[in-house]
Short mmCIF file of all heavy atoms in Angstrom, two decimals:
data_model
loop_
_atom_site.label_atom_id
_atom_site.label_comp_id
_atom_site.label_asym_id
_atom_site.label_seq_id
_atom_site.Cartn_x
_atom_site.Cartn_y
_atom_site.Cartn_z
N GLY R 1 111.98 87.53 98.64
CA GLY R 1 110.72 86.87 98.89
C GLY R 1 110.55 85.62 98.02
O GLY R 1 109.47 85.40 97.49
N SER R 2 111.58 84.85 98.01
CA SER R 2 111.50 83.65 97.08
C SER R 2 110.88 82.49 97.74
O SER R 2 110.79 81.43 97.14
CB SER R 2 112.87 83.31 96.57
OG SER R 2 113.78 83.11 97.66
N ILE R 3 110.44 82.61 99.01
CA ILE R 3 109.69 81.54 99.67
C ILE R 3 108.18 81.71 99.33
O ILE R 3 107.73 82.81 99.30
CB ILE R 3 109.94 81.55 101.14
CG1 ILE R 3 111.39 81.22 101.49
CG2 ILE R 3 109.03 80.63 101.90
CD1 ILE R 3 111.71 81.21 102.92
N ALA R 4 107.55 80.58 99.12
CA ALA R 4 106.08 80.65 98.74
C ALA R 4 105.33 81.45 99.71
O ALA R 4 105.49 81.43 100.92
CB ALA R 4 105.56 79.23 98.63
N ASP R 5 104.40 82.31 99.19
CA ASP R 5 103.46 83.14 99.99
C ASP R 5 104.21 84.24 100.76
O ASP R 5 103.60 84.87 101.63
CB ASP R 5 102.61 82.27 100.94
CG ASP R 5 101.79 81.24 100.19
OD1 ASP R 5 101.24 81.64 99.13
OD2 ASP R 5 101.66 80.15 100.69
N ASN R 6 105.41 84.50 100.51
CA ASN R 6 106.15 85.55 101.14
C ASN R 6 106.86 86.42 100.05
O ASN R 6 108.07 86.25 99.90
CB ASN R 6 107.16 85.03 102.18
CG ASN R 6 106.48 84.41 103.33
OD1 ASN R 6 105.86 85.06 104.15
ND2 ASN R 6 106.57 83.04 103.37
N PRO R 7 106.11 87.16 99.31
CA PRO R 7 106.67 87.90 98.16
C PRO R 7 107.67 88.97 98.55
O PRO R 7 107.63 89.53 99.65
CB PRO R 7 105.45 88.53 97.51
CG PRO R 7 104.46 88.64 98.65
CD PRO R 7 104.69 87.49 99.53
N GLY R 8 108.59 89.24 97.61
CA GLY R 8 109.57 90.35 97.83
C GLY R 8 108.81 91.71 97.89
O GLY R 8 109.13 92.57 98.72
N ILE R 9 107.76 91.86 97.06
CA ILE R 9 106.90 93.07 97.12
C ILE R 9 105.48 92.54 97.25
O ILE R 9 105.03 91.78 96.51
CB ILE R 9 107.01 93.93 95.88
CG1 ILE R 9 108.45 94.50 95.72
CG2 ILE R 9 106.01 95.07 95.85
CD1 ILE R 9 108.66 95.32 94.44
N TYR R 10 104.78 93.01 98.32
CA TYR R 10 103.39 92.72 98.55
C TYR R 10 102.58 94.00 98.71
O TYR R 10 102.91 94.80 99.59
CB TYR R 10 103.21 91.81 99.79
CG TYR R 10 101.76 91.44 100.07
CD1 TYR R 10 100.78 91.50 99.05
CD2 TYR R 10 101.40 91.03 101.37
CE1 TYR R 10 99.50 91.08 99.31
CE2 TYR R 10 100.10 90.65 101.61
CZ TYR R 10 99.16 90.67 100.61
OH TYR R 10 97.85 90.31 100.90
N ILE R 11 101.65 94.28 97.79
CA ILE R 11 100.85 95.47 97.86
C ILE R 11 99.40 95.14 97.99
O ILE R 11 98.87 94.34 97.19
CB ILE R 11 101.08 96.34 96.58
CG1 ILE R 11 102.55 96.83 96.56
CG2 ILE R 11 100.10 97.53 96.56
CD1 ILE R 11 102.94 97.59 95.32
N ASP R 12 98.74 95.67 98.96
CA ASP R 12 97.34 95.34 99.33
C ASP R 12 96.54 96.70 99.29
O ASP R 12 96.76 97.54 100.15
CB ASP R 12 97.27 94.66 100.68
CG ASP R 12 95.84 94.17 101.01
OD1 ASP R 12 94.93 94.55 100.32
OD2 ASP R 12 95.73 93.44 102.03
N GLN R 13 95.65 96.87 98.34
CA GLN R 13 94.79 98.02 98.26
C GLN R 13 93.31 97.70 98.33
O GLN R 13 92.93 96.71 97.64
CB GLN R 13 95.04 98.84 96.96
CG GLN R 13 96.47 99.50 96.87
CD GLN R 13 96.61 100.19 95.56
OE1 GLN R 13 96.15 99.74 94.49
NE2 GLN R 13 97.29 101.33 95.59
N SER R 14 92.48 98.41 99.12
CA SER R 14 91.13 98.17 99.10
C SER R 14 90.38 99.58 98.97
O SER R 14 90.85 100.53 99.59
CB SER R 14 90.62 97.47 100.35
OG SER R 14 90.89 98.21 101.52
N GLY R 15 89.36 99.60 98.13
CA GLY R 15 88.64 100.82 97.84
C GLY R 15 88.47 100.97 96.34
O GLY R 15 88.65 100.06 95.62
N SER R 16 88.28 102.24 95.95
CA SER R 16 87.97 102.50 94.56
C SER R 16 88.95 103.46 93.97
O SER R 16 89.54 104.34 94.68
CB SER R 16 86.52 102.95 94.38
OG SER R 16 85.66 101.98 94.81
N ASN R 17 89.19 103.37 92.63
CA ASN R 17 90.02 104.32 91.89
C ASN R 17 91.42 104.36 92.41
O ASN R 17 92.09 105.39 92.38
CB ASN R 17 89.42 105.73 91.93
CG ASN R 17 88.03 105.84 91.25
OD1 ASN R 17 87.91 105.30 90.16
ND2 ASN R 17 87.15 106.32 92.02
N ASN R 18 91.90 103.20 93.07
CA ASN R 18 93.26 103.17 93.47
C ASN R 18 94.15 102.79 92.36
O ASN R 18 93.75 102.08 91.38
CB ASN R 18 93.38 102.12 94.59
CG ASN R 18 92.60 102.61 95.89
OD1 ASN R 18 92.76 103.77 96.32
ND2 ASN R 18 91.79 101.74 96.41
N GLY R 19 95.39 103.16 92.39
CA GLY R 19 96.37 102.83 91.35
C GLY R 19 96.38 103.94 90.32
O GLY R 19 97.43 104.24 89.72
N LEU R 20 95.21 104.58 90.07
CA LEU R 20 95.12 105.62 89.05
C LEU R 20 95.73 105.07 87.75
O LEU R 20 95.52 103.98 87.32
CB LEU R 20 95.73 106.92 89.53
CG LEU R 20 95.04 107.44 90.81
CD1 LEU R 20 95.72 108.73 91.23
CD2 LEU R 20 93.57 107.66 90.62
N ASN R 21 96.61 105.85 87.10
CA ASN R 21 97.18 105.42 85.85
C ASN R 21 98.67 105.07 85.97
O ASN R 21 99.36 104.89 84.94
CB ASN R 21 97.01 106.51 84.75
CG ASN R 21 95.58 106.77 84.51
OD1 ASN R 21 94.73 105.85 84.38
ND2 ASN R 21 95.16 108.00 84.38
N SER R 22 99.23 105.03 87.14
CA SER R 22 100.67 105.00 87.21
C SER R 22 101.22 104.05 88.32
O SER R 22 102.41 104.15 88.58
CB SER R 22 101.17 106.42 87.58
OG SER R 22 100.64 106.94 88.78
N SER R 23 100.45 103.23 88.85
CA SER R 23 100.97 102.31 89.93
C SER R 23 101.74 101.13 89.35
O SER R 23 101.22 100.41 88.51
CB SER R 23 99.77 101.87 90.79
OG SER R 23 99.35 102.88 91.60
N THR R 24 102.92 100.98 89.85
CA THR R 24 103.85 99.96 89.32
C THR R 24 104.58 99.30 90.42
O THR R 24 105.07 99.89 91.39
CB THR R 24 104.91 100.59 88.39
OG1 THR R 24 104.27 101.22 87.34
CG2 THR R 24 105.82 99.50 87.83
N ALA R 25 104.67 97.93 90.38
CA ALA R 25 105.55 97.10 91.20
C ALA R 25 106.49 96.43 90.28
O ALA R 25 106.15 95.76 89.32
CB ALA R 25 104.76 96.10 92.02
N GLN R 26 107.81 96.50 90.58
CA GLN R 26 108.80 95.90 89.72
C GLN R 26 109.96 95.35 90.51
O GLN R 26 110.38 95.86 91.52
CB GLN R 26 109.25 96.91 88.71
CG GLN R 26 109.90 98.17 89.30
CD GLN R 26 110.16 99.26 88.36
OE1 GLN R 26 109.56 99.32 87.21
NE2 GLN R 26 111.17 100.12 88.63
N ILE R 27 110.50 94.21 89.95
CA ILE R 27 111.71 93.61 90.58
C ILE R 27 112.59 93.27 89.39
O ILE R 27 112.16 92.58 88.45
CB ILE R 27 111.39 92.37 91.45
CG1 ILE R 27 110.55 92.73 92.69
CG2 ILE R 27 112.70 91.73 91.94
CD1 ILE R 27 110.32 91.55 93.59
N PHE R 28 113.91 93.63 89.55
CA PHE R 28 114.88 93.26 88.57
C PHE R 28 115.90 92.33 89.17
O PHE R 28 116.54 92.66 90.13
CB PHE R 28 115.61 94.50 88.02
CG PHE R 28 114.61 95.56 87.50
CD1 PHE R 28 114.61 96.81 88.04
CD2 PHE R 28 113.75 95.23 86.47
CE1 PHE R 28 113.77 97.76 87.60
CE2 PHE R 28 112.88 96.24 86.01
CZ PHE R 28 112.88 97.50 86.56
N GLY R 29 115.97 91.13 88.67
CA GLY R 29 116.88 90.08 89.21
C GLY R 29 116.21 88.71 89.10
O GLY R 29 115.28 88.52 88.41
N ASN R 30 116.78 87.81 89.87
CA ASN R 30 116.31 86.37 89.78
C ASN R 30 115.74 85.90 91.10
O ASN R 30 116.04 86.43 92.15
CB ASN R 30 117.53 85.50 89.43
CG ASN R 30 118.19 85.88 88.21
OD1 ASN R 30 117.54 86.21 87.16
ND2 ASN R 30 119.54 85.88 88.21
N TYR R 31 114.77 84.92 91.01
CA TYR R 31 114.19 84.30 92.18
C TYR R 31 113.47 85.30 93.07
O TYR R 31 113.58 85.30 94.26
CB TYR R 31 115.28 83.58 93.01
CG TYR R 31 116.17 82.63 92.23
CD1 TYR R 31 117.48 82.98 91.93
CD2 TYR R 31 115.63 81.49 91.76
CE1 TYR R 31 118.30 82.12 91.14
CE2 TYR R 31 116.46 80.57 90.97
CZ TYR R 31 117.79 80.92 90.71
OH TYR R 31 118.59 80.13 89.99
N ASN R 32 112.69 86.17 92.46
CA ASN R 32 111.94 87.11 93.16
C ASN R 32 110.44 86.94 93.04
O ASN R 32 109.94 86.28 92.08
CB ASN R 32 112.24 88.52 92.61
CG ASN R 32 113.70 88.88 92.76
OD1 ASN R 32 114.24 88.83 93.90
ND2 ASN R 32 114.35 89.23 91.72
N GLN R 33 109.64 87.47 93.95
CA GLN R 33 108.20 87.37 93.90
C GLN R 33 107.54 88.75 94.13
O GLN R 33 108.01 89.54 94.91
CB GLN R 33 107.65 86.39 95.00
CG GLN R 33 108.03 84.99 94.72
CD GLN R 33 107.27 84.07 95.75
OE1 GLN R 33 106.19 84.38 96.22
NE2 GLN R 33 107.83 82.97 96.02
N ILE R 34 106.45 89.00 93.34
CA ILE R 34 105.63 90.13 93.55
C ILE R 34 104.17 89.69 93.73
O ILE R 34 103.67 88.81 92.93
CB ILE R 34 105.68 91.07 92.37
CG1 ILE R 34 107.10 91.72 92.18
CG2 ILE R 34 104.63 92.27 92.47
CD1 ILE R 34 107.21 92.60 90.93
N LYS R 35 103.48 90.21 94.68
CA LYS R 35 102.09 89.91 94.89
C LYS R 35 101.31 91.28 95.07
O LYS R 35 101.68 92.11 95.86
CB LYS R 35 101.83 89.08 96.12
CG LYS R 35 100.37 88.76 96.37
CD LYS R 35 100.20 87.80 97.58
CE LYS R 35 98.72 87.52 97.83
NZ LYS R 35 98.57 86.60 99.01
N VAL R 36 100.25 91.42 94.20
CA VAL R 36 99.36 92.63 94.31
C VAL R 36 97.96 92.16 94.46
O VAL R 36 97.48 91.36 93.69
CB VAL R 36 99.51 93.52 93.08
CG1 VAL R 36 98.57 94.71 93.15
CG2 VAL R 36 100.96 94.00 92.92
N LEU R 37 97.28 92.70 95.49
CA LEU R 37 95.84 92.39 95.73
C LEU R 37 95.12 93.74 95.76
O LEU R 37 95.41 94.59 96.58
CB LEU R 37 95.68 91.63 97.08
CG LEU R 37 94.26 91.43 97.59
CD1 LEU R 37 93.44 90.58 96.63
CD2 LEU R 37 94.23 90.78 98.98
N GLN R 38 94.14 93.85 94.89
CA GLN R 38 93.26 95.01 94.88
C GLN R 38 91.81 94.58 95.02
O GLN R 38 91.29 93.74 94.33
CB GLN R 38 93.41 95.77 93.54
CG GLN R 38 94.77 96.54 93.44
CD GLN R 38 94.86 97.33 92.15
OE1 GLN R 38 94.58 96.89 91.08
NE2 GLN R 38 95.27 98.61 92.32
N THR R 39 91.13 95.19 96.01
CA THR R 39 89.68 94.89 96.23
C THR R 39 88.92 96.18 96.07
O THR R 39 89.11 97.09 96.78
CB THR R 39 89.53 94.32 97.70
OG1 THR R 39 90.35 93.20 97.84
CG2 THR R 39 88.05 93.89 97.88
#
């Protein structure tokens, strides 16, 4: 996902109490993108 606006990981959550205490997005390497949106 190294092109703009096209992440390698994209997570979209809407609502309440999401993620709790353990939600993780991770990438190991070069030229990567992560996008997380919580509403």
